[in-house]
Amino acid sequence: SAMGDFIPAKLGMESGEKPIFMRVQKDYPDNEHMIFIFENGKGVRVPLSAYETKAVRRKLQGAYSDASPIVAAFYEEKNKPVDIMMVSSADRAIIFKSSLIPIKTTRTAGGISLMTLKKGQTVTSATTALADQDDKGYRKLKLPAIGTVIAEKDIHAMQLKIE
C-alpha cells in the first residue's frame, strides 16, 4: 500500500512478539558481540560468530535465552565496549562497561548476574549510558553490583533516555 508494510506481518511475528533490536550483518567476526540484558538482572555477551548458519533460514530461532524476559539488546564493535545503564523497579541504577560481562559461546546461555535485585524486583530498562551524565556513584567496576538509588537530578535525564 501507499503507507508501507506492517513490520510484524512482514516478518511473520507471532502474537505478542515484539522487536527488541535489529541489525543487518554480512559477516560474523569472533571479536564483535551481541549483549542481552534480562529482567532477572542477568546478562550475556555472545560472539557474532555464534549466529552464523550454513543453511538458508527464514527465521532465526533461539537467538537468546528465554529463561527470563529480555529487556534490551546491544551490539558491541571490536575493541569498543558499550557503557550500559540498567535501572531496576526499585529506582536503582548501575552503569558498567560491557567488557565486564564474560563471553559465552552459546546463544541460549542464561548469562551471569549483573545487578543484585531483592525478591520481587526486576530490571525495567537498560540503555546506553548518557555521555553527559555524571555517572559517579552509578559506575560499577565489578559485577554483580547493587544499584545506587537514582538521584533527583538524574531522574529527568534518565526518563528522556529511556523513552
Side-chain angles (χ1 to χ4, degrees), residues 17 54-55 67 70 75 80 94 124 141 150 157-158:
E17 193 174 14
K54 306 295 181 224
I70 191 165
Y75 169 72
K80 292 184 183 176
I94 62 171
T124 56
L141 302 175
I150 300 171
M158 287 182 182

mmCIF file of all heavy atoms in Angstrom, residues 17 54-55 67 70 75 80 94 124 141 150 157-158:
data_model
loop_
_atom_site.group_PDB
_atom_site.id
_atom_site.type_symbol
_atom_site.label_atom_id
_atom_site.label_comp_id
_atom_site.label_asym_id
_atom_site.label_seq_id
_atom_site.Cartn_x
_atom_site.Cartn_y
_atom_site.Cartn_z
ATOM 1 N N GLU A 17 4.620 -11.021 20.151
ATOM 2 C CA GLU A 17 6.044 -10.879 19.890
ATOM 3 C C GLU A 17 6.324 -9.437 19.484
ATOM 4 O O GLU A 17 5.550 -8.824 18.759
ATOM 5 C CB GLU A 17 6.440 -11.828 18.758
ATOM 6 C CG GLU A 17 7.907 -12.031 18.583
ATOM 7 C CD GLU A 17 8.226 -13.097 17.533
ATOM 8 O OE1 GLU A 17 7.339 -13.490 16.767
ATOM 9 O OE2 GLU A 17 9.384 -13.509 17.494
ATOM 10 N N LYS A 54 24.819 -22.222 8.232
ATOM 11 C CA LYS A 54 25.196 -22.778 6.925
ATOM 12 C C LYS A 54 23.983 -22.852 6.000
ATOM 13 O O LYS A 54 24.099 -22.703 4.803
ATOM 14 C CB LYS A 54 25.803 -24.176 7.092
ATOM 15 C CG LYS A 54 26.953 -24.234 8.067
ATOM 16 C CD LYS A 54 28.135 -23.438 7.590
ATOM 17 C CE LYS A 54 29.275 -23.549 8.588
ATOM 18 N NZ LYS A 54 29.931 -22.323 8.880
ATOM 19 N N ALA A 55 22.824 -23.100 6.584
ATOM 20 C CA ALA A 55 21.599 -23.242 5.791
ATOM 21 C C ALA A 55 20.868 -21.903 5.696
ATOM 22 O O ALA A 55 20.978 -21.068 6.583
ATOM 23 C CB ALA A 55 20.690 -24.284 6.426
ATOM 24 N N ALA A 67 14.891 -17.890 29.497
ATOM 25 C CA ALA A 67 14.696 -18.164 30.923
ATOM 26 C C ALA A 67 14.075 -16.974 31.653
ATOM 27 O O ALA A 67 13.416 -17.149 32.669
ATOM 28 C CB ALA A 67 16.030 -18.526 31.573
ATOM 29 N N ILE A 70 13.463 -10.641 28.009
ATOM 30 C CA ILE A 70 14.557 -9.760 27.610
ATOM 31 C C ILE A 70 14.144 -8.303 27.790
ATOM 32 O O ILE A 70 12.993 -7.938 27.559
ATOM 33 C CB ILE A 70 14.995 -10.056 26.159
ATOM 34 C CG1 ILE A 70 16.291 -9.323 25.844
ATOM 35 C CG2 ILE A 70 13.903 -9.708 25.175
ATOM 36 C CD1 ILE A 70 16.992 -9.813 24.595
ATOM 37 N N TYR A 75 24.738 -4.070 20.464
ATOM 38 C CA TYR A 75 25.802 -4.551 19.590
ATOM 39 C C TYR A 75 27.108 -3.936 20.071
ATOM 40 O O TYR A 75 27.183 -2.738 20.322
ATOM 41 C CB TYR A 75 25.516 -4.134 18.143
ATOM 42 C CG TYR A 75 26.675 -4.338 17.203
ATOM 43 C CD1 TYR A 75 27.050 -5.616 16.817
ATOM 44 C CD2 TYR A 75 27.397 -3.260 16.713
ATOM 45 C CE1 TYR A 75 28.114 -5.816 15.958
ATOM 46 C CE2 TYR A 75 28.446 -3.447 15.846
ATOM 47 C CZ TYR A 75 28.806 -4.718 15.481
ATOM 48 O OH TYR A 75 29.865 -4.906 14.630
ATOM 49 N N LYS A 80 35.477 -1.903 21.267
ATOM 50 C CA LYS A 80 34.711 -0.719 21.653
ATOM 51 C C LYS A 80 33.602 -1.114 22.620
ATOM 52 O O LYS A 80 32.444 -1.224 22.230
ATOM 53 C CB LYS A 80 34.114 -0.041 20.418
ATOM 54 C CG LYS A 80 35.137 0.573 19.514
ATOM 55 C CD LYS A 80 34.473 1.313 18.369
ATOM 56 C CE LYS A 80 35.500 1.865 17.421
ATOM 57 N NZ LYS A 80 34.888 2.494 16.261
ATOM 58 N N ILE A 94 22.692 1.131 37.779
ATOM 59 C CA ILE A 94 24.132 0.892 37.684
ATOM 60 C C ILE A 94 24.558 1.211 36.259
ATOM 61 O O ILE A 94 23.765 1.103 35.318
ATOM 62 C CB ILE A 94 24.545 -0.556 38.052
ATOM 63 C CG1 ILE A 94 23.922 -1.585 37.092
ATOM 64 C CG2 ILE A 94 24.211 -0.874 39.486
ATOM 65 C CD1 ILE A 94 24.472 -2.999 37.280
ATOM 66 N N THR A 124 13.878 -2.904 34.800
ATOM 67 C CA THR A 124 12.814 -2.323 33.981
ATOM 68 C C THR A 124 13.334 -1.755 32.677
ATOM 69 O O THR A 124 12.593 -1.684 31.702
ATOM 70 C CB THR A 124 12.063 -1.215 34.743
ATOM 71 O OG1 THR A 124 13.004 -0.226 35.173
ATOM 72 C CG2 THR A 124 11.324 -1.793 35.930
ATOM 73 N N LEU A 141 32.610 -1.193 38.793
ATOM 74 C CA LEU A 141 33.787 -1.809 38.196
ATOM 75 C C LEU A 141 33.799 -3.325 38.387
ATOM 76 O O LEU A 141 34.604 -4.010 37.762
ATOM 77 C CB LEU A 141 35.063 -1.194 38.786
ATOM 78 C CG LEU A 141 35.181 0.325 38.618
ATOM 79 C CD1 LEU A 141 36.413 0.849 39.343
ATOM 80 C CD2 LEU A 141 35.205 0.700 37.150
ATOM 81 N N ILE A 150 18.553 6.290 42.441
ATOM 82 C CA ILE A 150 18.657 7.342 41.432
ATOM 83 C C ILE A 150 18.423 8.698 42.089
ATOM 84 O O ILE A 150 17.399 8.917 42.738
ATOM 85 C CB ILE A 150 17.646 7.115 40.299
ATOM 86 C CG1 ILE A 150 17.913 5.759 39.634
ATOM 87 C CG2 ILE A 150 17.714 8.244 39.272
ATOM 88 C CD1 ILE A 150 16.852 5.332 38.649
ATOM 89 N N ALA A 157 16.777 13.178 33.233
ATOM 90 C CA ALA A 157 17.682 12.782 32.150
ATOM 91 C C ALA A 157 17.524 11.304 31.806
ATOM 92 O O ALA A 157 17.519 10.922 30.648
ATOM 93 C CB ALA A 157 19.124 13.072 32.538
ATOM 94 N N MET A 158 17.346 10.461 32.815
ATOM 95 C CA MET A 158 17.177 9.029 32.580
ATOM 96 C C MET A 158 15.842 8.735 31.907
ATOM 97 O O MET A 158 15.763 7.893 31.030
ATOM 98 C CB MET A 158 17.301 8.249 33.888
ATOM 99 C CG MET A 158 18.683 8.161 34.400
ATOM 100 S SD MET A 158 18.736 7.185 35.900
ATOM 101 C CE MET A 158 20.455 7.283 36.307
#
